[in-house]
Amino acid sequence: MTLPLPVHFQWVAVLLAAWVTRQEAALIAYYEAENRVLKEQLGGRRPRFTERQRWLLAEKAHALGRKALGQIETIVTPETLLRWYRRLVAAKYTPKEPRRSGGRPEISDEVEALVVRLARENRTWGYERLRGVLANLGHAVSSSSIARILARHGLPPAPERGRSLKWSTFLRSHAVAAADFFSVEVLTLRGLVRYQVFFVIEIATRRVHVAGIRPDPDGAWLTQLARNLTDPFDGFLKDMTHLVLDRDPLYCAAFCKVLEEAGVTIVRTPPRTPNMNAFAERFVRSIKEECLSKLIPLGEAHLRRAIREFVEHYHAERNHQGLGNRLIAPAPGVGSREGEIVVDERLGGLLRHYRRRQAA
């Protein structure tokens, strides 16, 4: 037998129920206001939901019913929520892996990416050539499917794709070097003097050769540098087939003639396109940021010493991201874990290199 609660306990229960009701009403009012703000931010655009989010909302909406849904502010309409619920119920009785009705299997994203990669890296390969290479790699893809994939990614057929040659492909397929100038302000007894530094960089290896340093370069001086660079015994360009140059007027006819007679083809970059000579530009940035901008050259001798020290550091002690983070000319023992770690300093510690001390 249940005993009735005392009167004061009944009043407490009534007040507690009223407080809970007010809290729930306030919470619902907040959620409705939050949904209205979200709708305003969407600006009439339809929100995107994942399948898991649709199922979650559908389950909660079914518990409320159509009438209750119509009385609150929801992100989507009650009809949409109930339609999602019907799909949820139907999915419960749908086999997870429906039987295929025949035909070719769908092409996976991995295979599609491989088709696009092969087409971009081999611009003269047609559909049949691509199909054969894919078969070699264990993927059976029809020529029509390859055509649809390339069209979807904006890649034309082989005849059109092969007419254009990427600049990076040209550089890798030839023995190419690039040349350029950069200037340095030097403090001398006559005040500040601007020196011009002419250098050549081999694209494949990133080796750099500083050919000349002079405050007032001219065509005759540059022509003599061309003779030094193309010397058949120890010239830096003796094995090069192409040299990338910008349109600086210092590259006079005599300079170009010496290079052409040595079998070096000059490749001119278009006007105002420093990216076409990016390897040379990157070296200029490196030597200025890491060395020349951190010291005051006191005379030509000091400038030459600083550049010489940086070039030696650049070749043997500085890792290059463009070469897989390797050294251009590593010394014996690089990569060893034996021996004491020592540091070599250049230019008073401006340039540092860490290595293992070799055993005597």
Side-chain angles (χ1 to χ4, degrees), residues 171-242:
L171 293 177
R172 288 196 300 268
S173 60
H174 295 79
V176 182
D180 204 355
F181 286 93
F182 66 88
S183 60
V184 185
E185 297 292 339
V186 179
L187 187 61
T188 68
L189 296 176
R190 296 176 293 146
L192 282 177
V193 177
R194 175 171 295 181
Y195 277 74
Q196 299 291 335
V197 181
F198 180 67
F199 70 96
V200 183
I201 180 171
E202 184 180 357
I203 303 299
T205 64
R206 306 298 199 275
R207 290 190 306 119
V208 170
H209 173 69
V210 176
I213 302 173
R214 188 170 175 174
D216 52 348
D218 54 24
W221 174 74
L222 204 58
T223 301
Q224 181 57 48
L225 294 183
R227 297 189 186 98
N228 299 339
L229 291 169
T230 56
D231 185 277
F233 298 102
D234 59 358
F236 189 80
L237 297 178
K238 64 183 178 65
D239 297 322
M240 295 293 105
T241 60
H242 294 74

Side-chain angles (χ1 to χ4, degrees), residues 35 38-39 42 45-58 74-77 80-81 83-84 87:
N35 285 351
L38 180 58
K39 284 183 176 180
L42 289 173
R45 299 189 304 274
R46 294 177 60 184
R48 302 277 184 177
F49 297 98
T50 64
E51 197 67 21
R52 183 189 64 80
Q53 292 169 342
R54 292 194 187 98
W55 286 15
L56 176 63
L57 292 176
T74 57
I75 299 177
V76 295
T77 64
T80 300
L81 290 170
R83 185 175 72 252
W84 289 350
R87 287 173 51 191

